[in-house]
Amino acid sequence: MSYLRLEGIDKTYRGAPSPTLKGFGLSMEKGEILVLLGASGCGKTTALRIVSGLERQDSGHVVLDGVTMDGLNPERRSIAMVFQKSLLFRNMTVAENIGFAPRLNRAMGKAELRRKTGEMLELLHLEGMGGKRVTELSGGQEQRVSLGRALMAQPKLLLLDEPLSALDAGLKWTLLSHIKELNARLGATMLYVTHDQREAAAVAARAAFLHGGRIARCAKPYEFYSRPESRAEAEFFGWENFIPAHRDGARLRCALGDFAIEGAGPGQGRALLCVRPEAAENIGCGRLRGIVASAAPQGMETVYEVVCGGTRLRLAVSARHAFGAGEAMAFDLSPHMMWLIGWAEGGGGDGAGP
Amino acid sequence: MKGRLSLALSFLPIAVLMGVAYVWPVIAVVWGSLSGDDGRFAGWRNYSEVLNSYYFWDSLLFTFRVSLVSTAVSVALAIALAMALRDSFPGKRLALFVSQYNLSIPRLAAAMIMVFLLSQTGFLSSLARQAGLTESIGDFPWLVYDSRGIGLMAVFVWKFVPYIGLSVLGILQGASAEYEQQAATLGVGMLGRFFHVILPTVVPAVAVSSILVFASSFGDYEVPAILGSPQRRSVSVMLYLKYVDPDMKDPPEAFAMMALTSLALMAAILTYRRLAASDARKRGL
C-alpha cells in the first residue's frame, strides 16, 4: 500500500467559477521525491495546502502511512512544509530557527537538541553559522535554514512549495543537489511543487503533471519531454509548434509535407504534429524552405518565426547562423524532436520523421 | 544666493506655523512657571511648592496608574479581539462593525454612556437589583466618580481597544498569518504559536499604539472631569482648576505642574521607547 494516498480530492474556493481540484488523486512511496508539476494557478499549492491541513478539501481523503488525515489540524499531521518564502523567525538565530520545532514540541532534551542542530547545520553546509541572525543570511542560506528547520521536526512527509523559485539560477542548482542529498541521507519523503520542468528533471525520479484540477499523468520527467500525451502537457514541457496533420497508417500529411512515421502501429485520422523549437537542423542546406518573419536573439541562440508551407514555426537556431526578416531559410527537422499526438487531448503519441 | 533665499522663504510659512503651534506654548509654559502672581520672575519657587504638595504627587500617581492599567488592559483585550476576528466566519462584517463603531463616538459621549451603564442608578445596577443581587441602589459598588478610577479606565479601555485592535488585526491577517501557518506545519500547537510567533510579530505595532493611548489617557481632561472623583483628581483636572482659580494665585503653580507633568510623561515615553528599541535589537527586528 502506498505511503501517501490522495483520493478523489475536490476543492472549489468560494466565489470561484470552477473547481481548483476535481477528483485529484496521487500516491507516493516512503523515501521518494515526487514532483508535482503544472502551470501557474493550476492548483499545485492548493493540493499541498490540503495535504498539510492548512486548507480543507470539499471531499476526498488524505491518507499518510495508513492514517487518515482528514479533519486533523496541521500541527497533528506530522507533515512539514517549506514555503516559497523562507519564513524564518526574525527574532531568532539560525540555530534557534533550526531547533524551533523540537524545542517547542519538547521532542528532545537540551543536549540532544544542541547536537542535532549542529548535525543539521553540517548537513546544510552552514557550519559555524548557528549563532548568526537570520537577517545576516543570503537568500540561498535562508532557504537552507528553512529546509533544515522543517527536517528537524522529523516529519513523516515534507512538502516543498516552489522553495527555490525566488533564487537565481546558480544557487537553485546547488540547492537542488542539497535537497537530493538530504533525501538520500535522511530517507525523507518529499512532495515537491514547481512550475519549472528543469527543476523537476533535476530533483525527482518521478513527476506528476497537474492539469484541469487532476493528475493528467505520472511519469519520469524525461518522458514528459520526449513523449507528451496531450497538447497541454506538450506545451508545458516546451513543445511550441503544433501542426494539424492527417495520419494514414505509417504516413503523415501536413502543411510541411509528407512524413514517414517511425515504428507506427495501425492508425488513421486527424492528428497533431508537435515540433520542439530546437528541432531545426541542417540550417542553410535542409530540404524544407521557409521565410523568416521575425528573429529574437537570445544569447547563444536566436529564436526565429519562420513561415513554411503556410504554417508558422518557432525555431531556435544557433547564433552562428544569422537571418534577417524576409530572408529564406533552408532547414530540416530532427525526427527526435517531433512527436505525434491524437487530435483529441490525451491520446497516446508516436514518433514522426520526415 | 538668490536660490537659497527663495528656498528659505518657501519654508517660512511652515516655520512660522510650527513656531506658533509647537514652540510658543512651551516657552509660555516655562515662562509662566518661573513667574510670580505679579508676572515678575520668581525663580524655582513655583516648582518647589508643587513638588512639596501631597495633592500633586497623589494626582500624578493616580493619573499614571489609571493610564497604565487602561493601556495594559486595552492591549490585552485588543490582541484577543484581533485574534477572534482574524479568520473568516459567518457574520464577520457585522462583528467588525460592532467592534469598531465606538471609534467614532466622542469621549464625552463615551463618558456619558459609562454613567448610564455603571453608576449606582445606571443600567447594570438596575439589572443587579432585578436579578436579586442587590437590594437597593446603595448596595451597588461605586464604579464611576470613584477614587480608584474604575469609570475612567472603563471609558479609556472602551475607546482604545478598537484602536489598538485594528493595527494588530492588520498584522495578524498579513505576514503574521504565514508565519503562524509555518509554525503549525512544524507541529507547534496554538499556545506555542501565540507566544513564539504571533506575539513577537505584533509587539512593534502594539508598542507604538500603546505609547499613543498611554499619552492620550494621561493628558485627557474631559473624561476625568465627568467621571472622576472629587477626592482624587487627575492631573489635567487639577491643572485646569488651578488655572481658573478666581484669586489668580495659582496659575503660576499650574504652569509649573504643566511643565513637570510634561517632563514626567516625556520621561516615561522615552524610557518605554528605549526599552522597546533595545528589545527589538535583541530580537533582530
Side-chain angles (χ1 to χ4, degrees):
Chain A
M1 187 177 281
S2 299
Y3 186 62
L4 172 71
R5 278 184 293 128
L6 309 178
E7 299 168 345
I9 290 175
D10 294 336
K11 175 70 184 177
T12 306
Y13 286 103
R14 206 167 56 177
S18 59
T20 305
L21 297 177
K22 194 176 177 188
F24 178 88
L26 185 69
S27 62
M28 60 187 291
E29 300 305 324
K30 193 171 184 179
E32 184 185 12
I33 303 183
L34 186 133
V35 169
L36 187 57
L37 276 166
S40 295
C42 72
K44 303 184 297 289
T45 297
T46 299
L48 279 205
R49 290 177 67 83
I50 286 171
V51 175
S52 68
L54 294 173
E55 204 81 60
R56 290 286 154 94
Q57 68 269 37
D58 300 334
S59 59
H61 306 287
V62 177
V63 182
L64 177 64
D65 200 12
V67 180
T68 304
M69 298 281 127
D70 309 333
L72 279 184
N73 285 335
E75 61 266 30
R76 302 190 59 197
R77 293 191 176 205
S78 190
I79 299 176
M81 190 157 166
V82 175
F83 294 80
Q84 195 172 340
K85 288 193 262 179
S86 62
L87 296 176
L88 297 181
F89 303 118
R90 299 225 170 277
N91 54 332
M92 298 176 197
T93 62
V94 169
E96 285 167 346
N97 264 283
I98 286 180
F100 179 77
R103 193 174 69 248
L104 263 71
N105 298 331
R106 296 193 175 90
M108 50 184 87
K110 277 186 180 174
E112 193 187 358
L113 177 63
R114 207 174 305 122
R115 183 175 57 79
K116 293 232 168 177
T117 303
E119 285 172 6
M120 184 55 73
L121 284 167
E122 203 176 306
L123 258 178
L124 297 165
H125 305 284
L126 293 169
E127 299 95 330
M129 299 186 79
K132 279 200 170 190
R133 292 263 153 219
V134 293
T135 45
E136 297 172 56
L137 301 180
S138 67
Q141 288 169 334
E142 277 195 22
Q143 211 48 292
R144 268 185 278 168
V145 173
S146 181
L147 190 62
R149 180 178 61 182
L151 287 168
M152 281 288 278
Q154 297 176 314
K156 287 183 174 177
L157 173 67
L158 179 60
L159 307 174
L160 300 117
D161 186 8
E162 308 209 30
L164 311 181
S165 61
L167 304 180
D168 58 50
L171 206 52
K172 190 184 275 190
W173 302 123
T174 311
L175 279 181
L176 278 170
S177 68
H178 282 156
I179 289 172
K180 283 183 83 167
E181 184 189 337
L182 288 169
N183 168 254
R185 289 179 65 171
L186 303 176
T189 312
M190 300 178 180
L191 180 54
Y192 188 109
V193 154
T194 180
H195 65 270
D196 184 340
Q197 67 271 32
R198 287 171 308 166
E199 249 181 81
V203 77
R206 209 159 64 95
F209 179 62
L210 177 57
H211 179 68
R214 65 180 71 201
I215 297 297
R217 188 182 173 198
C218 208
K220 290 177 181 168
Y222 176 74
E223 289 175 2
F224 286 104
Y225 276 101
S226 56
R227 292 189 283 278
E229 287 188 350
S230 67
R231 179 167 180 158
E233 199 180 304
E235 280 178 348
F236 184 79
F237 284 90
W239 299 78
E240 294 190 19
N241 304 296
F242 301 94
I243 304 155
H246 189 274
R247 181 182 173 182
D248 188 3
R251 300 296 303 173
L252 185 78
R253 269 199 326 276
C254 70
L256 299 178
D258 278 12
F259 295 88
I261 307 172
E262 289 175 5
Q268 202 160 349
R270 297 204 304 169
L272 202 59
L273 178 65
C274 311
V275 181
R276 291 195 74 89
E278 54 270 36
E281 60 183 15
N282 302 329
I283 305 298
C285 57
R287 285 180 296 165
L288 294 168
R289 292 270 187 284
I291 302 296
V292 173
S294 69
Q298 292 181 0
M300 296 295 284
E301 59 184 23
T302 303
V303 176
Y304 291 99
E305 287 217 359
V306 179
V307 179
C308 179
T311 194
R312 193 175 276 256
L313 296 172
R314 274 173 63 83
L315 299 173
V317 174
S318 165
R320 285 185 294 117
H321 308 283
F323 295 91
E327 285 185 47
M329 181 196 280
F331 60 95
D332 282 327
L333 294 174
S334 164
H336 304 295
M337 301 275 182
M338 296 164 76
W339 186 250
L340 196 65
I341 57 178
W343 184 262
E345 299 273 35
D350 291 309
Chain B
M1 188 67 191
K2 198 176 173 184
R4 278 188 186 178
L5 187 65
S6 67
L7 187 68
L9 284 174
S10 68
F11 280 111
L12 196 60
I14 190 72
V16 170
L17 189 69
M18 286 189 69
V20 171
Y22 295 101
V23 182
W24 171 246
V26 175
I27 294 171
V29 166
V30 172
W31 176 248
S33 69
L34 296 172
S35 306
D37 309 344
D38 53 2
R40 289 185 184 172
F41 182 69
W44 299 106
R45 193 182 67 208
N46 296 320
Y47 285 96
S48 169
E49 285 187 23
V50 168
L51 289 171
N52 286 316
S53 158
Y54 164 80
Y55 294 107
F56 171 72
W57 284 110
D58 186 53
S59 170
L60 188 67
L61 288 176
F62 170 70
T63 312
F64 189 80
R65 198 175 61 227
V66 165
S67 302
L68 195 67
V69 172
S70 305
T71 305
V73 173
S74 300
V75 165
L77 290 179
I79 292 174
L81 179 75
M83 292 285 289
L85 291 175
R86 68 189 170 146
D87 296 321
S88 296
F89 56 87
K92 182 175 175 177
R93 275 188 168 189
L94 181 68
L96 272 171
F97 171 76
V98 170
S99 64
Q100 291 165 22
Y101 82 96
N102 52 348
L103 277 173
S104 58
I105 294 178
R107 285 190 194 177
L108 196 68
M112 299 314 295
I113 289 169
M114 287 305 158
V115 171
F116 169 73
L117 276 176
L118 304 178
S119 69
Q120 286 190 319
T121 52
F123 182 67
L124 286 184
S125 171
S126 165
L127 274 183
R129 272 201 315 283
Q130 283 174 22
L133 297 172
T134 55
E135 284 180 7
S136 67
I137 287 173
D139 292 341
F140 195 76
W142 282 79
L143 297 179
V144 288
Y145 316 124
D146 64 309
S147 56
R148 291 164 300 173
I150 290 174
L152 306 184
M153 290 188 261
V155 174
F156 291 139
V157 168
W158 193 71
K159 285 293 294 176
F160 295 152
V161 166
Y163 174 75
I164 304 172
L166 272 182
S167 56
V168 174
L169 185 59
I171 296 165
L172 291 185
Q173 289 179 328
S176 169
E178 292 177 336
Y179 284 96
E180 201 196 341
Q181 289 180 354
Q182 173 69 86
T185 66
L186 293 171
V188 177
M190 186 60 212
L191 272 182
R193 297 203 298 269
F194 179 76
F195 286 108
H196 295 273
V197 180
I198 296 173
L199 220 46
T201 54
V202 300
V203 158
V206 166
V208 171
S209 41
S210 56
I211 286 176
L212 293 175
V213 300
F214 178 83
S216 170
S217 55
F218 196 91
D220 192 74
Y221 170 78
E222 54 202 318
V223 178
I226 295 168
L227 296 181
S229 157
Q231 283 81 41
R232 190 174 249 173
R233 300 186 192 287
S234 77
V235 169
S236 50
V237 173
M238 190 183 241
L239 270 171
Y240 180 74
L241 291 176
K242 278 203 174 289
Y243 190 72
V244 297
D245 185 50
D247 64 9
M248 292 298 286
K249 183 179 166 293
D250 289 340
E253 277 184 32
F255 280 121
M257 282 173 70
M258 268 187 230
L260 287 170
T261 311
S262 303
L263 277 175
L265 189 56
M266 276 166 66
I269 289 173
L270 282 176
T271 309
Y272 183 77
R273 283 189 63 167
R274 288 193 73 160
L275 287 174
S278 142
D279 180 58
R281 265 199 307 279
K282 275 186 205 158
R283 293 165 185 272
L285 298 171

